[in-house]
Amino acid sequence: MNPNDCSSNLWVFGYGSLCWLQGFDYGSHQLGFIRGFSRKFWQGNNSHRGTTDKPGRVATLVKEDEAITWGLAFELLGETALKYLNDRECTKGGYETLITTFFPRNGVMTPFPVLVFRATEHNPQWLGPAPLADVATQVTECKGEAGHNSEYVLRLAEFFRDNLPEVIDEHLFTLEQLVLERMKEKNISSVEDEPVTQAKQEVLSLAEAAEPVNNPNQEVRRDSFQYLSRVPPSKKLLCLKV
């Protein structure tokens, strides 16, 4: 098969936590974008990043004709990967699926179809638009089985700075800055200070167990969670513990 032709393989497009915490086996992966959607933190989450009483906010894709959304596409290996994603995104998150065209960043591979998981206003956990200042407050107050909601936002922003520094996502980066400001106000310098619950350990174990041996360059999730460097000098966080 032509290595630049991905039409015969099943790929999934990650634009949220899949960018930095996969949890499934995959072969190749490519940076790139899809058209016709924008990334918004309009989807509620009452399991991984929140609870029923205090749902967190996670990313979804909202139709917008002229928009593009950057992210990371993964070539799925075996049925287990798809089953894991269906459970993670559809069963627990209520996300719908669609197929759209992915445009690789490398400019060598031809565009190819990808599977996308997306929440809409029909999702029972849908929260919809809100002022980003309010979203940031909600994010810093919520945590679930996988950890603090703040971690979701900050790691996603970090992924883009490390891997796609030319991409400016105003919605994401504005929310990141507001979350950091809320963390400063609450004297929080880390969201990794709480004990690791059994549920969170299971999530992390899945990710570690699924790390493919044929991806020697795959980024491993770091144990530390240091974001002081993201805050301007005048906004350094003052305390080391929650």
Side-chain angles (χ1 to χ4, degrees), residues 169-197:
D169 187 320
E170 184 176 352
H171 182 81
L172 172 61
F173 291 147
T174 300
L175 179 58
E176 175 204 26
Q177 188 59 45
L178 289 169
V179 167
L180 288 170
E181 291 175 3
R182 297 295 181 275
M183 290 173 65
K184 176 188 175 183
E185 293 167 3
K186 296 175 182 293
N187 292 328
I188 301 171
S189 64
S190 169
V191 294
E192 288 287 346
D193 290 333
E194 93 269 8
V196 177
T197 64

Side-chain angles (χ1 to χ4, degrees), residues 27-224:
S28 299
H29 57 284
Q30 292 292 330
L31 295 164
F33 64 88
I34 61 173
R35 298 184 185 276
F37 297 93
S38 62
R39 178 180 20 246
K40 303 293 185 184
F41 279 79
W42 290 3
Q43 172 62 8
N45 186 278
N46 60 18
S47 57
H48 288 145
R49 297 293 167 178
T51 63
T52 302
D53 294 333
K54 297 185 69 172
R57 278 185 179 259
V58 293
T60 187
L61 294 173
V62 177
K63 287 186 178 180
E64 189 175 332
D65 291 341
E66 301 302 319
I68 64 173
T69 296
W70 287 85
L72 193 57
F74 302 92
E75 178 189 23
L76 301 185
L77 297 179
E79 296 181 0
T80 302
L82 183 58
K83 182 179 179 181
Y84 167 81
L85 285 170
N86 281 330
D87 180 64
R88 171 173 166 174
E89 306 295 337
C90 297
T91 303
K92 293 183 178 179
Y95 280 50
E96 301 174 357
T97 59
L98 61 89
I99 300 293
T100 192
T101 302
F102 175 79
F103 298 85
R105 178 203 194 196
N106 62 21
V108 176
M109 299 174 67
T110 58
F112 56 88
V114 288
L115 174 67
V116 178
F117 293 91
R118 169 179 174 258
T120 70
E121 63 273 15
H122 303 297
N123 188 296
Q125 298 185 55
W126 179 261
L127 295 177
L132 279 181
D134 294 344
V135 174
T137 298
Q138 182 177 357
V139 164
T140 55
E141 293 177 349
C142 294
K143 62 180 178 180
E145 297 172 358
H148 280 273
N149 201 180
S150 299
E151 178 185 30
Y152 184 108
V153 174
L154 299 179
R155 284 196 183 277
L156 184 57
E158 181 184 49
F159 166 83
F160 277 95
R161 285 199 177 85
D162 290 346
N163 297 279
L164 289 161
E166 72 276 17
V167 174
I168 303 299
D169 187 320
E170 184 176 352
H171 182 81
L172 172 61
F173 291 147
T174 300
L175 179 58
E176 175 204 26
Q177 188 59 45
L178 289 169
V179 167
L180 288 170
E181 291 175 3
R182 297 295 181 275
M183 290 173 65
K184 176 188 175 183
E185 293 167 3
K186 296 175 182 293
N187 292 328
I188 301 171
S189 64
S190 169
V191 294
E192 288 287 346
D193 290 333
E194 93 269 8
V196 177
T197 64
Q198 181 178 356
K200 182 173 183 179
Q201 186 59 56
E202 290 174 357
V203 172
L204 298 181
S205 296
L206 276 173
E208 293 170 358
E211 183 179 339
V213 296
N214 59 333
N215 279 329
N217 296 323
Q218 179 185 356
E219 181 179 356
V220 178
R221 178 179 179 176
R222 291 183 288 276
D223 294 331
S224 62

